Amino acid sequence: LRALKIHEETDDKTGIARTLGNIGMIYVNIVEREKALDYYHRSLKMEEELGNSFGIAGILNNIGIIYDDMKQYDMAIDYYIDSHDIYKDISNPNGIADASNNIGVAYKNQKKYNEALQYLQESLTSYQIIGRKKGIAAALNNIASVYKETEKYQQALEYFNNALIIAKDIKVRDNAMKEEAIECFAANKNKDTT
């Protein structure tokens, strides 16, 4: 809070916006969502005053994450889409990939699988274009999860397998991904024997 005070005293609007966003992240980490939202909205207002599209998109995405965590998926999607649109306007492929992934997961959580796949595929393509392997693995895993939930086990297994190959390549251990792949394999095997 000392940094915020210094930025306010010197009327450093960029510093204020950034510090408000950082304080919001701290409140997210200690699961004080209402305080996090307050700081994020204050940061958003400052970023809007500055006309900083990149900052606006980032804060909108962060606000979406909080609503997603609170299982308020419609609100989350609204913020994610606003973020996604700004990232597209400023041609930021990392932001597009992350926002698309977040939108897809929120739609998956609502069981709107067609919409989920549309955004997850966009996310996968974006991650592939920029070569962000961790993002590629996450998108593949999320797509696999959609196929698993819709009982398209063979497709799910293909995506899980590709996600696991990349995760192993970049030395990411994701036990949840492995467990979900095993569950999918078992479900597919049971489906084949019935």
Side-chain angles (χ1 to χ4, degrees), residues 44-63:
L44 178 62
K45 183 178 179 194
M46 190 66 60
E47 295 288 11
E48 289 171 338
E49 287 176 19
L50 292 166
N52 179 7
S53 297
F54 180 78
I56 293 167
I59 292 295
L60 289 170
N61 196 55
N62 289 346
I63 293 170

Side-chain angles (χ1 to χ4, degrees), residues 124 133-145 155-174 177-178 181:
L124 176 59
K133 288 187 175 185
K134 190 172 182 181
I136 294 168
L140 288 166
N141 184 61
N142 290 332
I143 292 168
S145 185
Q155 288 170 287
L157 283 169
E158 290 173 27
Y159 279 90
F160 278 132
N161 187 49
N162 289 331
L164 288 167
I165 289 168
I166 292 170
K168 183 179 176 183
D169 180 50
I170 59 174
K171 296 177 178 40
V172 170
R173 288 196 167 152
D174 193 330
M177 189 187 309
K178 289 177 186 174

Side-chain angles (χ1 to χ4, degrees), residues 5 16 27 29 38 50 54 56 96 103 111 128 142:
K5 186 173 183 167
I16 294 168
Y27 280 116
N29 290 334
D38 176 55
L50 292 166
F54 180 78
I56 293 167
I96 294 167
I103 296 166
K111 301 190 183 322
Q128 288 170 331
N142 290 332

